[in-house]
Amino acid sequence: ALYGELLEPGGRVLDLMSAYQSHLPPGLELGEVMGLGMNQEEMDANPALTGSLVHDLNADPNLPFGDASFDAVICTASMEYLTRSREVFADAARVLRPGGVLAMCFSNRFFPPKTVRLWTELHDFEKLGLVLDYFLETGRYSDLGTLSLRGWPRPADDRHYGEYPASDPVYGVWGRLN
């Protein structure tokens, strides 16, 4: 739902660390959704993507796109795997059009062997602060915002329904390019 509030219909969106799902709200009609991820097979299964490119942001944090080529850059459930976050945030500013939005959403569920060590040592709310700090360090974003959704009941069609009563929390941090 957050992406539905932040993204403009008809816009060109870059989905960082994309996989089989972009977590975009149904009915949001975007002009283009470009996936940038590590697994072409997963991106091929993503119905929201109109294009995709395999690229490892930890090996090369430079986004392989021209300046001011996207209206929004999103990243869902992958922030914790970025080893060069500061560089990625700075380059996201380069590929965003003026007024474009960068939105990072994450939860408290992750794969410990793949995540950066700092992430595992922080409380959930400290993670919001860390991500917000990445925005601030670039000096390129304004209208910063955060979101914390916790305690929602787990949907009956969720594979963990009955095992865990509450859904995973969802956290978001976003800003607009100056």
Side-chain angles (χ1 to χ4, degrees), residues 74-144:
I74 62 172
C75 181
T76 306
S78 294
M79 178 70 228
E80 59 272 24
Y81 307 117
L82 280 175
T83 60
R84 299 168 75 178
S85 301
R86 290 171 176 83
E87 293 168 83
V88 170
F89 275 64
D91 210 45
R94 180 187 62 77
V95 301
L96 278 171
R97 294 180 178 130
V101 66
L102 173 60
M104 311 297 279
C105 292
F106 50 93
S107 186
N108 64 354
R109 184 185 299 197
F110 51 86
F111 300 105
K114 295 182 179 184
T115 191
V116 294
R117 183 173 164 198
L118 175 62
W119 198 263
T120 65
E121 297 176 1
L122 296 175
H123 183 278
D124 289 354
F125 292 107
E126 290 175 305
K127 293 170 186 171
L128 281 165
L130 175 67
V131 176
L132 188 58
D133 195 51
Y134 292 144
F135 280 92
L136 293 169
E137 283 183 13
T138 69
R140 303 284 312 273
Y141 299 95
S142 59
D143 298 328
L144 299 171

Side-chain angles (χ1 to χ4, degrees), residues 1-121:
L2 176 63
Y3 290 152
E5 294 174 23
L6 295 173
L7 305 180
E8 296 292 327
R12 186 169 192 230
V13 176
L14 174 59
D15 182 4
L16 294 182
M17 302 173 83
S18 188
Y20 65 93
Q21 186 178 12
S22 292
H23 302 278
L24 296 166
L28 178 61
E29 296 191 26
L30 298 167
E32 180 180 358
V33 180
M34 172 61 73
L36 187 72
M38 302 261 302
N39 186 315
Q40 187 64 55
E41 187 176 306
E42 286 185 2
M43 290 187 291
D44 287 344
N46 185 333
L49 299 182
T50 57
S52 61
L53 182 64
V54 172
H55 183 83
D56 182 351
L57 288 172
N58 290 334
D60 180 3
N62 298 305
L63 301 172
F65 303 101
D67 295 355
S69 51
F70 292 96
D71 299 299
V73 176
I74 62 172
C75 181
T76 306
S78 294
M79 178 70 228
E80 59 272 24
Y81 307 117
L82 280 175
T83 60
R84 299 168 75 178
S85 301
R86 290 171 176 83
E87 293 168 83
V88 170
F89 275 64
D91 210 45
R94 180 187 62 77
V95 301
L96 278 171
R97 294 180 178 130
V101 66
L102 173 60
M104 311 297 279
C105 292
F106 50 93
S107 186
N108 64 354
R109 184 185 299 197
F110 51 86
F111 300 105
K114 295 182 179 184
T115 191
V116 294
R117 183 173 164 198
L118 175 62
W119 198 263
T120 65
E121 297 176 1

Side-chain angles (χ1 to χ4, degrees), residues 141-153:
Y141 299 95
S142 59
D143 298 328
L144 299 171
T146 62
L147 170 76
S148 171
L149 293 175
R150 302 173 59 85
W152 287 80

